[in-house]
């Protein structure tokens, strides 16, 4: 019997701490990590650069065909993986810029765009053990993953975390604007027709409002031995 590589799905709303937790968890377990939001963001970068209408699904799909969104999982890279839009490598400041954040939920709402990126995400997960963070990893991308975490946190906790992350990446934004933006992205992610943000039936729901990243990783690690069986 061939052993299937361990897959851990971490889903949750914007700024719930998924990416920090997923990356630290992967490091602790010595496995790879991918933040799938970066793939939707890379496509949003391309849309901005080519002045593509983000409501036009056909045009976005053409972009995906012209410039492949390619990820390479490299734990030593600044984000834990490298991501390319065609020949261009995208860095964290570009992916997290206000302009990209403003349009990414619209980009990610198109079913055929999602299908193209999900196919790539599954291919990656088939190659090696991985912790994958996103919105639909447990429900759609890797429904067979043996460990699924749905990470939540209060809006206040998420605003304050996101502010810290953005400041570290050199992006300045007011608390008021950040709150509006997070609430709007929650609404768009939760109400979209395709792959809305919902916990998988078999996901463990973890509220991280009062926990730091290490505590969340500790809590998840307690379930890993079972998932490895
Ligand atoms: O996690 P993030 O903020 O970088 O995600 C950016 C956007 O991409 C977010 O608005 C929802 C979308 N997304 C998604 O629809 N499915 C995923 N698996 C990951 C992100």
């Amino acid at each position: 019997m061939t052993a299937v590589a361990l897959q851990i799905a971490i889903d949750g709303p914007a700024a719930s701490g998924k990416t920090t937790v997923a990356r630290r968890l992967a490091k602790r377990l010595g496995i790879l990590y991918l933040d799938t939001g970066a793939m939707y963001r890379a496509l949003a970068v391309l849309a901005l650069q080519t002045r593509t209408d983000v409501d036009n699904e056909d045009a976005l799909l053409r972009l995906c065909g012209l410039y492949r969104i390619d990820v390479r999982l490299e734990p030593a890279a600044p984000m834990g993986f490298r991501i390319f839009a065609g020949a261009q490598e995208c860095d964290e400041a570009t992916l997290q810029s206000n302009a990209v954040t403003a349009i990414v939920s619209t980009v990610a709402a198109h079913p055929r765009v999602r299908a193209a990126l999900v196919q790539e995400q599954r291919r990656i997960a088939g190659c090696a053990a991985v912790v994958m963070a996103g919105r639909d990893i447990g429900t759609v991308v890797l429904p067979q993953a043996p460990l699924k975490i749905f990470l939540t946190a209060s809006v206040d906790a998420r605003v304050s975390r996101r502010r810290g992350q953005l400041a570290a990446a050199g992006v300045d934004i007011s608390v008021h604007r950040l709150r509006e933006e997070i609430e709007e992205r929650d609404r768009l992610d939760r109400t979209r027709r395709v792959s809305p943000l919902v916990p998988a039936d078999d996901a463990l729901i973890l509220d991280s409002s009062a926990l730091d990243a290490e505590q969340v990783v500790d809590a998840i690690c307690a379930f890993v031995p079972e998932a490895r069986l």
Side-chain angles (χ1 to χ4, degrees), residues 18 36-37 40-41 104-105 108 114 134-137 162 185 189 192:
K18 304 179 296 294
T36 56
Y40 294 96
R41 286 177 181 271
V104 67
S105 291
R114 299 195 68 80
R135 301 289 190 291
D136 61 340
I137 309 303
R162 185 61 116 210
R185 283 213 291 144
D189 293 343
R192 71 175 173 225

Side-chain angles (χ1 to χ4, degrees), residues 6 13 25 37 39 43 60 69 72 82 85 87 142 154 159 168 175 191 203 210 220:
L6 178 63
L25 177 66
M39 297 173 75
L43 183 55
L60 288 172
I69 308 287
R72 301 185 199 158
R82 296 172 68 196
L142 305 174
S154 67
V159 167
V175 168
T191 59
I220 298 174

Side-chain angles (χ1 to χ4, degrees), residues 71-92:
V71 289
R72 301 185 199 158
L73 306 192
E74 293 181 15
M79 289 189 287
F81 56 88
R82 296 172 68 196
I83 182 156
F84 298 81
Q88 167 193 193
E89 183 162 9
C90 301
D91 64 16
E92 190 171 13

Side-chain angles (χ1 to χ4, degrees), residues 1-165:
M1 201 172 81
T2 339
V4 178
L6 178 63
Q7 298 174 338
I8 300 180
I10 304 198
D11 292 301
S16 56
K18 304 179 296 294
T19 53
T20 310
V21 163
R23 189 170 179 191
R24 288 197 194 188
L25 177 66
K27 190 169 177 203
R28 221 193 263 187
L29 299 174
I31 65 178
L32 297 172
Y33 150 71
L34 175 63
D35 167 25
T36 56
M39 297 173 75
Y40 294 96
R41 286 177 181 271
L43 183 55
V45 170
L46 279 175
L48 287 171
Q49 288 173 346
T50 56
R51 296 170 191 267
T52 299
D53 174 6
V54 289
D55 290 317
N56 185 335
E57 183 172 30
D58 287 333
L60 288 172
L61 273 175
R62 268 198 300 280
L63 275 186
C64 287
L66 279 173
Y67 309 86
R68 209 170 103 78
I69 308 287
D70 187 25
V71 289
R72 301 185 199 158
L73 306 192
E74 293 181 15
M79 289 189 287
F81 56 88
R82 296 172 68 196
I83 182 156
F84 298 81
Q88 167 193 193
E89 183 162 9
C90 301
D91 64 16
E92 190 171 13
T94 308
L95 295 173
Q96 295 294 333
S97 68
N98 293 337
V100 167
T101 300
I103 61 168
V104 67
S105 291
T106 308
V107 168
H110 295 293
R112 286 178 295 145
V113 166
R114 299 195 68 80
L117 296 186
V118 165
Q119 189 181 19
E120 183 61 10
Q121 291 156 13
R122 288 191 182 134
R123 190 193 63 74
I124 293 164
C127 297
V130 71
V131 179
M132 206 172 261
R135 301 289 190 291
D136 61 340
I137 309 303
T139 50
V140 175
V141 181
L142 305 174
Q144 278 93 19
L147 183 54
K148 299 175 186 171
I149 308 294
F150 191 85
L151 199 58
T152 62
S154 67
V155 175
D156 281 345
R158 292 192 281 136
V159 167
S160 114
R161 275 182 205 154
R162 185 61 116 210
R163 192 135 198 260
Q165 274 171 0

Side-chain angles (χ1 to χ4, degrees), residues 105 181-192:
S105 291
E181 180 197 295
I182 283 179
E183 286 177 341
E184 174 63 0
R185 283 213 291 144
D186 281 357
R187 190 186 65 75
L188 291 172
D189 293 343
R190 289 194 164 116
T191 59
R192 71 175 173 225

